[in-house]
Amino acid sequence: MSSLDFEALKTEFIQKLSQLTKEADVLNLKADYLGKSGIITELLKKMKDLSPEDRKTVGPKANELKDIVNLEVQKKIDLLEVEAINQKLAENRIDISYTENLKVNSNSHGGYHPRTLVQQEIEDIFLSMGFDVLDGPHIENEFTNFEALNIPGDHPARDMQDTFWFHDEKSPVGKKHLLRTHTSTIQVRGMLSRKPPFKFIAPGVVFRCERTDASHEMVFTQLEGMMVDENISVSHLIYFMKTILKEIFKRDVEVRLRPGFFPFVEPGFELDIRCLICEGKGCSVCKHIGWVELLPCGMVHPNVLKAGGIDPEKYNGFAFGLGLDRLVMMKYGIDDIRHLQSADLRFNTQFKTY
Ligand code: FA5
C-alpha cells in the first residue's frame, strides 16, 4: 500500500466521476469506493495487518481519500441538480412577446381592495388640503416607536401595545429593533426630516402581538396625521377629524369625543363612531357597546416636539392615528376585520373593479 496507490485511486475516481450524468450513477460510483466492500473500505479494513509505522502514513491518506470521494460526490450531485433545473427552465420558457400568452378571460376583472379605495380617498382629501403623504419602515427601533414619543423604557404605556421585538444585538445607537406598533413612528421621522410649519399624513401597516377577533388583527393599518405650526388649537384638530369623516361617509355619522390617554399628546382624545354594523344596538365588532374606537388624537406633547428637534415654545400641533381598517369596516358594513386579510376573491371582488 504505497502513497502511489492513493494518488492513482484518486485520479481514477475523479476521471470516472467526470463522465457521469445521472445522480443514480454517481451514487453507485460512491458505493464502489465507500460501500460495504468498496475499494477504500477494503483498504481501511486491511489497516490492522500493517506495521505501526505504515499505519501512521497510510491511515491519514486513506481517510483523506475518503473525504475527497464524499466531497466530490456531493459537488457532482449539486451540479447535476443545477443543470436539471436550468434545463427545465429552458424547456418551460414563456415567450411573453407572443400575444397568445397574454390573452385573458375578458369577463374576469380584478378589483381594488376596499382598504386601498378608502386610503386613496383619504390621501386625495388631505393632498387637496396641502398635506404631504409620508411613508416609513416597518422595522423600527425603540427610540422611534417609543422613546421619542414620550414613552421611556419603564413607562407602563409600553404595555398598551404588545410588541414584536427582534432578538437582535442592540443597534449601533444602542436601541433594540421591533415591528412598529403604530404609525406614530412617522410623526418622529416627519419631524426630524422637515422644518415647521408642516402637515402630513402617513398610512401604513402596523403589528401587535394580540389575540384576533372581529375588530382586532395582529397586522392592521393605521393612518397617522400631524400638523405643526404656530398657534394650532384643538379646533383645528376637530375641523380635520370632521372633514375626514364627512368626506368618507358622505353623510352624517354619529361620533363622540372623550378624553383619552396617550403619552405623546396632551390633551388626548378618543374619537369613537356609532357602530354602523349594528346601528349601535350591539354586536361583536363594537363588543356590544354600540361604539367603535376609531380615531384617537390630541395636541402634540412638548416632549415629542423637542425629540423631533422642534421648539415647543414657538410651535405646537395636533396628531391623530386613524384605525384605517375599522374605518373601512364601517364604510362598507364589513362585520369582521379578518375578511380584509383573507385574500378571498369572493370578498375582494365585491368592491370597485378596475
Ligand atoms: C395608537 O396607536 C396611537 N398611536 C394613536 C394616536 C396617534 C393617538 C396620534 C394620538 C395621537 P391605539 O392603540 O388606540 O393608538 O390605535 C389607534 C387605532 O387603531 C384604534 O383606535 C383602532 O381604531 C385601531 N386599532 C388598534 N388596535 C387594533 C387592532 N388590533 N386591530 C385593528 N385595529 C386596531
Side-chain angles (χ1 to χ4, degrees), residues 197 227-237 299 311-318:
M227 180 172 187
V228 172
D229 203 337
E230 294 176 34
N231 303 319
I232 298 284
S233 69
V234 173
S235 49
H236 289 97
L237 169 63
M299 301 302 291
D311 178 2
E313 299 293 326
K314 184 163 182 212
Y315 294 103
N316 65 348
F318 68 73

Side-chain angles (χ1 to χ4, degrees), residues 53-189:
E53 286 77 40
D54 280 351
R55 237 182 272 157
K56 262 189 207 154
T57 52
V58 172
K61 283 188 194 308
N63 278 322
E64 190 189 338
L65 185 59
K66 194 173 148 190
D67 290 345
I68 289 171
V69 169
N70 273 323
L71 183 74
E72 292 301 322
V73 162
Q74 194 51 53
K75 271 166 52 183
K76 182 76 182 187
I77 289 175
D78 290 348
L79 181 75
L80 291 177
E81 263 175 26
V82 171
E83 281 174 0
I85 291 170
N86 284 342
Q87 194 183 343
K88 261 197 190 153
L89 285 173
E91 281 165 8
N92 295 336
R93 217 169 141 250
I94 297 173
D95 178 2
I96 55 163
S97 62
Y98 179 50
T99 46
E100 272 302 306
N101 292 325
L102 294 174
K103 275 192 183 160
V104 288
N105 176 357
S106 57
N107 293 324
S108 130
H109 294 284
Y112 282 108
H113 192 278
R115 188 197 292 122
T116 308
L117 293 172
V118 174
Q119 185 179 320
Q120 281 173 351
E121 224 175 308
I122 298 180
E123 285 180 11
D124 287 346
I125 296 165
F126 278 95
L127 283 168
S128 73
M129 294 190 290
F131 281 67
D132 293 330
V133 180
L134 303 190
D135 198 3
H138 296 173
I139 297 176
E140 274 291 5
N141 59 55
E142 59 184 334
F143 172 78
T144 317
N145 199 87
F146 291 123
E147 285 166 18
L149 291 164
N150 202 25
I151 317 176
D154 50 357
H155 199 291
R158 285 214 181 181
D159 299 337
M160 286 163 71
Q161 300 177 353
D162 291 320
T163 309
F164 289 110
W165 293 95
F166 283 90
H167 292 291
D168 57 352
E169 293 299 311
K170 287 194 170 183
S171 73
V173 281
K175 305 293 174 200
K176 285 196 291 181
H177 287 101
L178 48 87
L179 287 175
R180 71 177 179 198
T181 57
H182 52 178
T183 44
S184 299
T185 51
I186 308 171
Q187 284 188 35
V188 181
R189 291 181 176 275

Side-chain angles (χ1 to χ4, degrees), residues 12-28:
E12 185 194 51
F13 166 74
I14 301 275
Q15 207 266 333
K16 281 184 185 165
L17 186 67
S18 69
Q19 317 227 308
L20 303 180
T21 54
K22 290 197 184 105
E23 187 178 330
D25 294 340
V26 174
L27 292 174
N28 283 338

Side-chain angles (χ1 to χ4, degrees), residues 149 160-161 181-185 187 206 208 210-211 213 215-225 262 264-265 268-272 292-299 318-327 337:
L149 291 164
M160 286 163 71
Q161 300 177 353
T181 57
H182 52 178
T183 44
S184 299
T185 51
Q187 284 188 35
V206 300
R208 290 188 196 172
E210 282 190 15
R211 189 185 286 268
D213 60 29
S215 57
H216 289 84
E217 262 290 11
M218 292 213 263
V219 180
F220 58 100
T221 42
Q222 291 185 336
L223 188 139
E224 198 78 7
F262 301 92
F264 30 97
V265 284
F269 306 100
E270 285 280 8
L271 190 148
D272 304 332
V292 176
E293 278 181 17
L294 187 70
L295 222 176
C297 51
M299 301 302 291
F318 68 73
F320 61 86
L322 167 72
L324 188 59
D325 289 348
R326 294 206 188 148
L327 180 69
I337 195 169

